Amino acid sequence: MRRNIEIVTNERCTGCAGCYNACPEGAIEMILSNEGFYRPIVDRSRCTNCGFCIGKCPELSWETPLLSPPRVYAAWSRDDAVRLSSTSGGIFSELARGILDAGGVVAGCAWNKNWEPEHFLIQSWDEVEKFRGSKYVPSKIGKAFRTIREISEKGREVLFCGTPCQVAALGLSLSQKQREKVLLVDLICHGVPSLRAFQQYRDELFPEGLKSYWFRRKSNDASLNIRAVTQSERLYDSKFKKDPFMRAFLEDHVIMMDSCHDCRYQGSIRPGDITVGDFWGVPKQWSDWRGVSVILTNTLEGNKWIDLLQSKKNIELRETSFDIAASGNPKLLSGVVPKPFWRTVFMRQLSQGVPFMKLCRYYSPVLKLYRQIAFFLTRWRQGRVLPKLKKLILKFFLKNKKDGL
Ligand SMILES: Cc1cc2nc3c(=O)[nH]c(=O)nc-3n(C[C@H](O)[C@H](O)[C@H](O)COP(=O)(O)OP(=O)(O)OC[C@H]3O[C@@H](n4cnc5c(N)ncnc54)[C@H](O)[C@@H]3O)c2cc1C
Ligand code: SF4
Ligand code: SF4
Ligand code: SF4
């Protein structure tokens, strides 16, 4: 019987690279699957069946830590330049500043030269900028966990920020001595969509190549915007709802990684010392279009770093309750996102090489119609569909009259 990570099914694997970083024989390779997610492949001729990879796979070996209830805050950086160029309140950058000031190293996710997210390690404040901003595509971990083990073994502080599955994997891979030097920061995570889908969307929409790309550009009307600038200086600005990639990810749910539909690292017990996310539904008195983060400090180490940033006056902190934070952010309660049946069809066609944009053009209107029918049927049962239908017909005729038809 095989005693390696071949026993982890595609539905459960998160592509965290914990196994890849653990294998002493170099028998594991991380490849991009046809669906567009990183997956381990075992070279059986090199595998000795030692089972190390199983022990370091969070899907098989991560146990929910026994933690006391977290301290919960609304928070933001006092440095406006940092806050405005970050996704929420810029707390990641302030933690990075703290670690760098202490002589440490920061590991985070940046775009590589092929416009694909990848985890890098940096040692200076100037480089933190490239980590800013959420990239809604899987990040390639590469050998980052091994390097972090080496650095922390030598007694140097390291900050690692990533999705909770990556954080759980790094946590598992560290010895007690190394763990004491590593500050783990997990993001509240809705899930990651397919990198193949993103590559096709990118190449079809921006054939001249990208100069910059932001999934979340801030604007004072509080809408979520994508901004891309191409090599020929062409500007692409789109609201989330209008962008085909974000629609397929967040609205149609057809390109999210399988394991993200039932994620075991979400909820109130988290793998990081600190959890950072967007404070959706932030209480009115703290609401600000420049961005507000929600922070959970899950361990004493987490408390220590947040207290330090506050004492240095780098961040503004407002204590709040878990219930308030979770009311606008369902991922703090559960990792389950229902998987629509059409995901399988969409993904199969994407894997078979049907271009992403073509699939969107075909599926998006069908799925929209399906959702509308489902909505009407639900309302019908509640006896509210007829008034709604009347209102729609009336609106249609009034519009036509106004247009002079
Ligand atoms: C895929 C994904 C899904 C998310 N879903 C939610 C959600 O449902 N609810 C919520 O409240 N918040 C979510 N977030 C977190 C949120 O978008 C912000 O990242 C968070 O609020 C921190 O913001 P910040 O202003 O402190 O820092 P920022 O500077 O914006 O954060 C950047 C940090 O995020 C890390 N990062 C960026 N992209 C990736 C990636 N692809 N993989 C791993 N790490 C990455 C970088 O390493 C960096 O450390 C998600 C983030 C990601 C990457
Ligand atoms: S069982 Fe051992 S040798 Fe085989 S893939 Fe896993 S870690 Fe590598
Ligand atoms: S360690 Fe991560 S990448 Fe490897 S099998 Fe487990 S979940 Fe998949
Ligand atoms: S939803 Fe869960 S499995 Fe998916 S990327 Fe986020 S932490 Fe990993």
Side-chain angles (χ1 to χ4, degrees), residues 14 163-165 189-192 257 259-260 263 265-266:
T14 65
T163 55
C165 53
C189 178
H190 184 76
V192 283
M257 184 162 65
S259 42
C260 299
C263 171
Y265 315 100
Q266 307 290 345

Side-chain angles (χ1 to χ4, degrees), residues 5 8 12-20 30 40 56-59:
I5 36 79
V8 181
R12 285 189 66 187
C13 179
T14 65
C16 68
C19 53
Y20 168 74
M30 296 300 291
K56 302 299 176 189
C57 170
E59 279 300 306

Side-chain angles (χ1 to χ4, degrees), residues 125-143:
W125 172 248
D126 294 347
E127 295 174 283
V128 173
E129 193 186 353
K130 67 181 180 192
F131 290 160
R132 276 186 211 130
S134 294
K135 293 105 193 154
Y136 295 119
V137 210
S139 175
K140 185 178 179 178
I141 289 289
K143 293 183 177 154

Side-chain angles (χ1 to χ4, degrees), residues 3 40 45 76 105 117 131 138 144 159 184 264 282 311 343 354 375 381 399:
R3 280 192 67 237
S45 65
W76 55 93
V105 174
F131 290 160
L159 159 66
L184 294 174
R264 54 200 298 259
V282 59
S311 70
R343 181 196 178 276
V354 182
F375 176 78
R381 269 190 237 122
K399 184 179 178 292

Side-chain angles (χ1 to χ4, degrees), residues 283-298:
K284 246 192 185 141
Q285 66 272 29
W286 306 322
S287 171
D288 190 320
W289 70 271
R290 289 172 296 176
V292 179
S293 299
V294 61
I295 303 182
L296 314 187
T297 58
N298 307 314

Side-chain angles (χ1 to χ4, degrees), residues 3-4 22-25 27-28 42 46-53:
R3 280 192 67 237
N4 65 35
C23 178
E25 305 298 329
I28 300 176
V42 179
R46 293 171 80 172
C47 174
T48 57
N49 270 333
C50 67
F52 279 4
C53 51

